[in-house]
């Protein structure tokens, strides 16, 4: 009996130690989004990009305690689709080369308004929003590599498609790149014993792309082709950028990082090329 009591005590101590290392995680679900949009050589984020690909990876905790502590995320579902552009329906050669997305794929894809309905059904299916009211049923957070996917692409596309930005995609976003930079800074502080200031040597927002984030976290190299959220090889479709970002979010959680939004979204943001009723002003593009 003494042996069994000792073994039970060790297990209890290990469980308590593991629970002690868990960090408070205020969000229950994370939706990793990596949009691809139309683009041209020499263009920037002021351009009226149209969404041509909308992949989502959904992560849930497997070990979240009653008091909201957790460290292990699991990929539980995905949503994937190409999107048909309407303002400039013909993709530039630069865009096709960058993303690997072909004209045939977007020509046969649903319009953005139909994609929104598909995403809403995906959220309902997974119990995130109410089917009738669209009200959030759990606390979830959108995530992306940088702030651009929802802050720029979705806001622009809602204007071009003349549709109100859905409530379920509004709210602040977790910029994963910023979270990785913050984690790297904390690791440097632990190593040196003093707080780091400014930009970490050899690491900044611009250089810290997805492969660099994977390397910084000690994860395997990037899988698939960058700037492609869906496998176009003819085999089963699989998220590329979005899956790699999901791995980064999962590792940040394992490292004890509390995951929460860090980027504000403005649904009514406007660019100078925006006219009335979805009209794009050519003079605003110069």
């Amino acid at each position: 009996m003494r042996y069994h009591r000792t073994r039970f005590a060790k297990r209890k101590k290990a469980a308590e130690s593991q629970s002690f290392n868990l960090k408070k995680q205020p969000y229950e679900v994370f939706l990793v989004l990596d949009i691809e949009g139309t683009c041209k050589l020499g263009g920037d984020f002021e351009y009226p990009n149209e969404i041509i690909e909308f992949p989502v990876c959904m992560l849930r905790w497997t070990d979240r305690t009653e008091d909201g502590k957790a460290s292990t995320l699991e990929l539980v579902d995905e949503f994937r689709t190409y999107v048909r552009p309407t303002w400039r329906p013909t993709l530039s050669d630069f865009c096709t080369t960058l993303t690997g997305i072909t004209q045939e794929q977007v020509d046969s894809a649903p319009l953005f308004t139909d994609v929104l309905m598909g995403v809403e059904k995906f959220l309902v299916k997974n119990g995130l929003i109410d089917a009738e009211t669209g009200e959030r049923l759990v606390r979830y957070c959108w995530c992306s590599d940088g702030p651009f996917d929802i802050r720029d692409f979705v806001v622009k596309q809602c204007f071009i498609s003349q549709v109100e930005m859905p409530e379920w995609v509004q709210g602040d976003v977790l910029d994963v790149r910023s979270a990785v930079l913050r984690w790297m800074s904390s690791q440097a502080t632990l190593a040196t014993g003093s707080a780091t200031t400014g930009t970490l040597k050899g690491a900044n927002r611009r250089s810290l792309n997805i492969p660099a984030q994977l390397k910084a976290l000690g994860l395997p190299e990037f899988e698939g082709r960058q700037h492609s959220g869906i496998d176009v090889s003819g085999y089963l479709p699989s998220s590329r950028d979005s899956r790699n970002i999901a791995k980064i979010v999962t590792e940040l959680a394992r490292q004890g990082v509390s995951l929460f939004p860090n980027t504000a979204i403005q649904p009514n943001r406007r660019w100078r090329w925006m006219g009335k009723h979805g009209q794009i002003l050519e003079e605003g593009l110069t």
Side-chain angles (χ1 to χ4, degrees), residues 199-216:
T199 303
L200 290 171
K201 184 178 179 180
N204 54 59
R205 280 198 61 87
R206 192 174 186 85
S207 67
L208 199 67
N209 56 17
I210 298 174
Q213 292 172 54
L214 291 167
K215 183 177 181 180

Side-chain angles (χ1 to χ4, degrees), residues 104 115 123 194 203 220 256 264 285:
E104 291 76 15
V115 170
L123 299 180
S194 61
L285 301 178

Side-chain angles (χ1 to χ4, degrees), residues 25 27-30 32 58-64 70-76 143 174 245-254 257 259:
Q25 299 291 353
Y27 288 83
E28 301 172 58
V29 175
F30 299 89
V32 180
M58 178 179 166
L59 302 172
R60 281 187 185 270
W61 299 108
T62 63
D63 61 345
R64 195 166 188 262
S71 66
T72 306
L73 283 168
E74 180 182 33
L75 177 63
V76 295
C143 313
L174 170 58
I245 298 169
K247 291 178 181 179
I248 293 168
V249 174
T250 300
E251 181 60 20
L252 286 173
R254 196 186 72 83
V257 175
L259 303 172

Side-chain angles (χ1 to χ4, degrees), residues 91-138:
L91 303 182
S92 67
D93 292 340
F94 172 76
C95 184
T96 297
T97 300
L98 178 68
T99 66
I101 299 173
T102 67
Q103 189 65 49
E104 291 76 15
Q105 287 165 332
V106 296
D107 284 345
S108 60
L111 295 172
F112 180 67
T113 49
D114 295 321
V115 170
L116 287 180
M117 289 189 288
V119 177
E120 185 171 319
K121 290 179 181 178
F122 172 78
L123 299 180
V124 169
K125 180 188 74 171
N126 283 286
L128 303 190
I129 62 173
D130 184 85
E132 298 297 327
T133 65
E135 179 183 355
R136 298 191 182 205
L137 301 177
V138 301

Side-chain angles (χ1 to χ4, degrees), residues 1-9:
M1 291 296 292
R2 182 176 299 173
Y3 167 76
H4 290 297
R5 287 175 181 174
T6 302
R7 184 172 59 181
F8 176 78

